[in-house]
Amino acid sequence: MRKGSSHPTLLEVARLAGVGVGTASRAVNGGTNVSASTMRKVKSAIQQLGYMPNHAARVLKGGRAKTVGLLVPSISDYFFASCAEAAGRIAKAHDSLLIVAVTMNLSGAEISSLDVLMRHRPDGLLIVPSDPDNKELARCVRNSAVPVVTFDRPLFGSGCSSVITDNFEAARNATLHLIEHGYKRILCFSSEPDLYTIRERLRGYCQAMEEAGLPSLIDTSLDDTTLVSRLLAGHLKGRRPPDAVFTLKNSSTSAVVQALHQLRVSIPSRLALLGFDDFELAATLHPSISVVQQPIEDLGRKAAELLFEQLESHHGIKGFRKMKREPVVLANRLVLRRSCGCKEELARKDL
Amino acid sequence: MRKGSSHPTLLEVARLAGVGVGTASRAVNGGTNVSASTMRKVKSAIQQLGYMPNHAARVLKGGRAKTVGLLVPSISDYFFASCAEAAGRIAKAHDSLLIVAVTMNLSGAEISSLDVLMRHRPDGLLIVPSDPDNKELARCVRNSAVPVVTFDRPLFGSGCSSVITDNFEAARNATLHLIEHGYKRILCFSSEPDLYTIRERLRGYCQAMEEAGLPSLIDTSLDDTTLVSRLLAGHLKGRRPPDAVFTLKNSSTSAVVQALHQLRVSIPSRLALLGFDDFELAATLHPSISVVQQPIEDLGRKAAELLFEQLESHHGIKGFRKMKREPVVLANRLVLRRSCGCKEELARKDL
DNA sequence: ACGCGAATTGGAAACGTTTCCAATCATGTT
DNA sequence: AACATGATTGGAAACGTTTCCAATTCGCGT
């Protein structure tokens, strides 16, 4: 801690160790072509001075920044937070730091946040695109000069690989499960129908209903509990009320559960319920809620692993573009609890 | 995007604009002492080349890194995730990026994560210390040469300011509330009794019980549901069973709720429940759970604001140490729902 | 036309690394 | 003993900024 608590430089280390700056540098990194005694001297000097390599200088010189950027809609959301944590673990294992920028699902904020991220010249990028068809973002990604992996949602025309779950198939199977239970009027409920994942789930639901020759009943309102409460009351008072609800996202499931509580509608006898995305208390609620469970952490983990794979193979070669381009698709799981009418709490179906 | 999609430099911009590199630099930053026409030429060149300042070079030269580091135990935890998001918003408002490192509450990982963070030479640091008495960490913070703000927990001997909630007082008031309800055998349940916040809450509970002349009943087991279930069964079968439970953290509350469900113990008639920390479905569960609600986002926001305040006032002066040193204490709130025996769902008490 | 501040401009130096090249050293071979 | 070989070593150059200083230009009053 010399010189007014400012950071000591490699030059100072070298001087103290009585060696050249080049030698000191080699000693710091790996130690190729450094004699044991020199190594010792340098190490001791580093200890003494509390030397810490200046990241900025390293990056400037053209080395790995040991940094990967993550662009997500939100970080307080459990889903993305878990992905981020998993990705962060992988990054750490590669001695890198994950830096996070939040977009709030606003396509506008996306580009500007990406800019802030790029200022730090990360080695690679992990992105959850708000809109898979965002041409502007795709363009940014294409000439970003670093490998990019998308997860949870693809980014068409970006040419980067992605890790997603099969939302369509999972929703289809979940709906099919409700149909097997004998429900015929299955209401599909969700907010934010414009989101890619929601659209896919909606497709899956429609496909299943069509296969079974049943009419689709769709309501894409907000997740506001009192609103949902009023809507459901309306649906239930109709001449042909629904006998089951399939919610397409976490917050919708919560909202419906709360609404049904308020309305004193019993689950599943009066109305069955199955939701997309698991949540902490799904098993604790009364009755427990059946859900499609996504391999949340695997999403973040896989995406990060894929990115580092590209990073390794990149290594100076500009050819990192020609990696596996088809998206990696992870399997979802149908966790059957009570709210759909199942008796056995433990039945699970891999999808 | 000239030259093989690599990043164009300020020099190239200057050349294209037909000006000197120094002038280009001034044009990029604020534009002091740059004529309108020059400004225009440079701006146009920047557009044309898609120039983006090289952060590393800036930092190296000694400028603001426009980066603040955040060191938290976890980021998938709702509490810290929300703090992080709030802090990130403040950072963004100051045109800075928040970089996050995760410690898992391991004091060991803390120092090393801090190192990784410091490599990026952030302008300041936001820390949630695992252990307020960690001398080693305090030392690191003291000679880190940047302003540091702690939140959720203090860091004694570090000389940095902190933002916390009054865990002691909130727990005391919550316990007092249970006592007012007439409960006499109040079991205090929580895992991780070594954590500062939990200790404070424990103190608050003990203080309240002592004030009322009641005996403290404390169980600091793990949050494993089946274990909790067995423990509670034991307590309830005892000769003087508890009539209320006060849980000191989120996961403990969940575990107890689940356990009581399994045991078919009715809340609050057989056993009342009040938990520290709100959670999403607390109002939805049956019965709704009364909780102490912390101003989560305010914690992160305030901490970040305080940090930037110090950053502004710092500005080259080494005197940033002499800021307000007493911790900022935010008020908690008692949200009374049904599980404690209250009839009115809406009653709230500011603490 | 001249001079004189003020405004603007160009360019060199410096920030702390890494990397390359040439130089030195130790070692073993003929 | 001379020499080749390879392992170490020191130091210069370069990375892209910012900042300072000297130089140039401009506006304008005399």
Side-chain angles (χ1 to χ4, degrees), chain A residues 175-186 214 243-244 272 340:
Chain A
T175 310
L176 250 25
H177 175 78
L178 287 173
I179 294 172
E180 278 169 24
H181 266 296
Y183 305 117
K184 301 228 182 301
R185 302 203 34 94
I186 303 172
L214 295 172
D243 47 14
C340 64

Side-chain angles (χ1 to χ4, degrees), chain B residues 19-20 23 26 35 38 60-61:
Chain B
V19 302
T23 307
R26 274 178 306 247
S35 74
T38 309
L60 179 56
K61 194 60 221 310

